[in-house]
């Protein structure tokens, strides 16, 4: 980067995007005391992925719970919605990889650091004291959830394709795929309900995903290691 007239020289490096600034960085424009947490691309990836995931779970419930199946009807349409929402589930994330902020946060989610184990130990002891649960931009629970979903979605996609294209594989494969698909879908539904419940218990976390920024005091209290990252 070239220097401007009157400056001392070239700048030391490029300024990171707002979503990558730690809590010590400048507040979001027009919001003193708030800092940027997620970029627009990250928020849209989360919203679209969440909508597709909820559609998958809702249509699965309509297919497997007799009372819901009778209430909704139109089974062929429900099956079509379930199949295509499942196929499209990885697409928002794949498109979002064009965002530098999203790639940076994926790297953060993929790193399990020593203080993450400390966070888990505090949760196991039910120790909610300030400072007892150190976390970076993402806490250990969020990292485990992200890793679990990242592993579950490809398994669901693979087993779903085996069930869809019935003529390509032996009966034993299709039977095994159905067993895995059904029970993993139930586990995903339970974990997703827990994720939504945790989100509703933390208004600042929801605000960060909705608007992109959070209160600086919340970030320093709940994610004190974010600055170090």
């Amino acid at each position: 980067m070239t220097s401007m007239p009157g400056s001392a020289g070239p700048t030391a490096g490029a300024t990171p995007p707002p979503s990558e600034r730690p809590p010590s960085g400048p507040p979001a424009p027009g919001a003193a005391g708030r800092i940027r947490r997620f970029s627009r691309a990250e928020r849209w990836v989360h919203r679209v992925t969440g909508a597709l995931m909820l559609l998958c779970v809702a249509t699965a419930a309509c297919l497997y719970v007799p009372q819901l199946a009778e209430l909704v009807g139109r089974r062929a349409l429900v099956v079509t919605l379930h199949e295509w929402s499942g196929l499209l589930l990885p697409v928002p994330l794949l498109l979002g990889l064009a965002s530098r902020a999203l790639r940076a946060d994926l790297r953060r989610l993929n790193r399990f650091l020593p203080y993450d184990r400390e966070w888990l130990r505090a949760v196991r002891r039910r120790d909610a004291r300030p400072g007892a649960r150190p976390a970076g931009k993402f806490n250990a629970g969020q990292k485990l959830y992200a890793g679990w979903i990242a592993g579950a979605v490809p398994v669901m996609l693979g087993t779903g394709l085996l069930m869809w294209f019935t003529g390509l594989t032996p009966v034993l494969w299709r039977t095994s795929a159905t067993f895995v698909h059904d029970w993993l879908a139930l586990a995903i539904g339970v974990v997703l309900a827990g994720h939504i419940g945790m989100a509703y218990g933390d208004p600042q976390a929801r605000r960060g995903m909705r608007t992109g920024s959070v209160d600086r005091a919340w970030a320093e209290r709940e994610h004190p290691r974010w600055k170090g990252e």
Side-chain angles (χ1 to χ4, degrees):
M1 182 180 296
T2 58
S3 59
M4 297 297 291
S7 65
T11 55
T15 302
S19 62
E20 296 185 13
R21 291 174 188 158
S24 59
R34 293 175 61 187
I35 59 172
R36 186 67 64 189
R37 183 164 173 81
F38 295 115
S39 67
R40 182 176 298 179
E42 290 177 291
R43 301 199 306 275
W44 275 107
V45 168
H46 185 269
R47 289 169 186 170
V48 178
T49 302
L52 290 171
M53 182 71 77
L54 289 174
L55 183 58
C56 278
V57 172
T59 51
C62 292
L63 292 173
Y64 286 96
V65 178
Q67 293 82 357
L68 291 177
E70 294 175 2
L71 180 64
V72 175
R74 304 191 67 177
R75 183 178 179 84
L77 176 60
V78 174
V79 169
T80 301
L81 288 173
H82 183 75
E83 291 171 342
W84 283 102
S85 59
L87 285 174
L88 293 173
L89 196 55
V91 173
L93 178 61
L94 294 176
L95 294 177
L97 290 176
S99 165
R100 186 174 64 175
L102 178 61
R103 295 197 304 272
D105 278 348
L106 288 177
R107 288 192 294 270
R108 291 187 178 100
L109 285 168
N110 198 41
R111 290 199 301 266
F112 209 80
L113 301 171
Y115 55 76
D116 291 317
R117 286 186 283 273
E118 185 179 343
W119 189 94
L120 290 174
R121 286 193 294 268
V123 170
R124 189 170 61 247
R125 297 192 306 267
R126 298 184 180 180
D127 186 352
R129 292 175 302 162
R133 301 183 182 184
K137 185 173 184 180
F138 303 103
N139 63 42
Q142 292 167 330
K143 292 179 180 181
L144 290 176
Y145 172 79
W148 193 86
I149 289 293
V153 167
V155 174
M156 291 295 289
L157 183 59
T159 53
L161 289 173
L162 289 176
M163 296 164 59
W164 192 357
F165 298 102
T166 56
L168 298 180
T169 56
V171 175
L172 179 60
W173 288 22
R174 296 198 302 273
T175 303
S176 301
T178 302
F179 177 83
V180 173
H181 194 88
D182 291 353
W183 282 102
L184 187 55
L186 178 60
I188 288 176
V190 172
V191 173
L192 185 62
H195 177 69
I196 295 173
M198 294 292 291
Y200 270 95
D202 193 339
Q204 277 298 318
R206 297 201 313 273
R207 183 182 189 179
M209 190 53 71
R210 187 178 68 252
T211 67
S213 62
V214 294
D215 288 346
R216 183 181 299 274
W218 175 87
E220 293 174 347
R221 182 181 68 254
E222 300 293 334
H223 299 271
R225 302 296 180 93
W226 182 4
K227 176 182 178 180
E229 292 180 346

